[in-house]
C-alpha cells in the first residue's frame, strides 16, 4: 500500500506491532498521542531465571552511554524512567514477563531488566559480562567508566559477531597493516599551444547547438550556433561502430594483495541472532487499540532448543 507513514519504531531485533498512518492528519495525531504518553504499550519478553510473581515497578533513571553505538545503562544522572513488570509464566529455567513502559527511553525495558538481574535470554547486548561479572545487576558494572564500556563493547562486537568467532573458537586472522607504495605524482600532459589557441578562438563563449538535421548527420557535418547567430560547420567522424557487449570473463579479475577486508573471515548470522525474545504485543490509544499474536517462545511450556 502506498502513502503509509511510520508512527513509531522498534529496536532492530524486536518483533511485534508496528503502526503506520494512512493519512498525514492521522499520523500526526497518533504521533502526538505517543509523545504525550496517551498510549499504553505492552511488551512480552522471556528473561533468565524465576522472575518475582508479584508486580515489579522499576523507576531507575537511564543514562545513554553512547548514541553512536546505541547503549544505555542505569545511572543516577540519567533521565527519569518508569517500567512495570508482571510475570506471566515460568518453565523452571526462564520466565515470560509482561512489560509496560510508561516512558520512552532508549532500550528502556532491556536496561531495567538488566538492572533487576533478569536480562532477556538472548539479548546480545545487555545480557553480557562486558557490563561486569554480574552483567550490570543492581547497577554494578565492575567499576568500568563509560569510556571503558564503549571500548570493550566495540571490541567484543567485532570479535564475536563479525570476525569469525564460531562456537567459541576464534578464527580471526591477524592482518598486518597494508603497506602503501608511494608513487610519484602524475606528470602534467603536454599542451599543444597552437591547437589550444585555435580551440579557444573557435569555441570561446559559444553555446553549442547540434543540429538534428538527418542530412547534416548523414554527411558528417553539424552546425555550431554562436551568440552572434553566426554558424560555422564543424566536421566530425560518423563511421564509429559501438563495440558489442562482452560476457563476463572471471580470468580477467584482479585483486589487491594488501586489501584488509579480503583477509578477514566474516561469519553469517544464525537464525537465533536475528531475533530477540522481546515482542511488542499491544498498543492502545484514546480511541484505538491494536495487538498481535504472541510468538511461540512466549508460551508457558516452550523450551529453547539446544544447538
Amino acid at each position: 500500500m502506498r502513502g503509509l507513514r511510520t508512527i513509531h519504531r522498534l529496536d532492530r531485533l524486536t518483533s511485534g506491532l508496528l503502526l503506520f498512518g494512512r493519512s498525514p492528519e492521522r499520523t500526526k495525531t497518533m504521533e502526538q498521542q505517543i509523545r504525550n504518553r496517551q498510549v499504553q504499550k505492552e511488551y512480552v519478553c522471556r528473561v533468565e531465571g524465576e522472575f518475582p510473581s508479584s508486580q515489579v515497578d522499576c523507576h531507575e533513571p537511564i543514562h545513554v552511554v553512547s548514541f553512536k553505538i546505541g547503549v544505555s545503562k542505569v545511572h543516577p544522572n540519567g533521565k527519569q524512567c518508569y517500567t512495570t513488570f508482571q510475570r506471566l509464566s515460568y518453565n523452571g529455567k526462564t520466565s515470560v514477563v509482561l512489560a509496560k513502559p510508561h516512558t520512552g527511553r532508549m532500550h528502556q525495558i532491556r536496561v531495567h531488566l538488566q538492572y533487576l538481574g533478569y536480562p532477556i535470554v538472548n539479548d546480545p547486548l545487555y545480557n553480557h559480562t562486558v557490563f561486569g561479572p554480574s552483567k550490570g545487576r543492581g547497577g554494578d558494572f565492575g567499576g568500568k567508566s563509560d569510556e571503558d564500556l564503549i571500548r570493550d563493547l566495540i571490541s567484543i562486537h567485532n570479535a564475536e559477531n563479525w570476525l569469525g568467532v564460531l562456537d567459541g573458537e576464534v578464527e580471526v586472522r591477524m592482518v598486518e597493516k597494508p603497506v602503501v607504495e608511494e608513487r610519484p605524482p602524475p606528470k602534467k600532459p603536454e599542451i599543444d599551444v597552437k591547437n589550444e589557441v585555435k580551440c579557444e578562438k573557435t569555441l570561446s563563449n559559444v553555446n553549442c547547438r547540434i543540429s538534428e538535421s538527418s542530412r547534416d548527420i548523414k554527411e558528417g557535418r553539424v552546425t555550431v550556433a554562436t551568440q552572434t547567430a553566426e554558424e560555422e560547420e564543424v566536421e566530425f567522424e560518423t563511421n564509429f561502430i559501438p563495440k558489442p557487449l562482452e560476457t563476463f570473463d572471471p580470468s580477467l579479475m584482479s585483486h589487491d594483495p594488501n586489501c584488509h577486508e579480503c583477509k578477514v573471515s566474516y561469519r553469517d548470522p544464525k537464525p537465533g541472532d536475528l531475533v530477540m525474545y522481546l515482542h511488542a504485543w499491544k498498543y492502545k490509544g484514546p480511541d484505538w487499540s491494536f495487538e498481535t499474536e504472541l510468538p511461540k517462545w512466549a508460551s508457558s511450556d516452550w523450551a529453547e532448543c539446544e544447538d
Side-chain angles (χ1 to χ4, degrees), residues 10 25 43 49 59 68 122 158 165 261 263 293:
L10 297 175
E25 296 77 14
Y43 290 73
H59 295 270
K68 185 175 182 179
N122 60 345
N158 289 340
V165 176
E261 296 295 329
K263 297 183 178 181
E293 295 181 0

Side-chain angles (χ1 to χ4, degrees), residues 134-148:
S134 60
K135 299 182 180 180
R137 181 172 187 169
D140 180 9
F141 302 104
K144 289 186 178 181
S145 64
D146 286 358
E147 292 74 18
D148 293 337

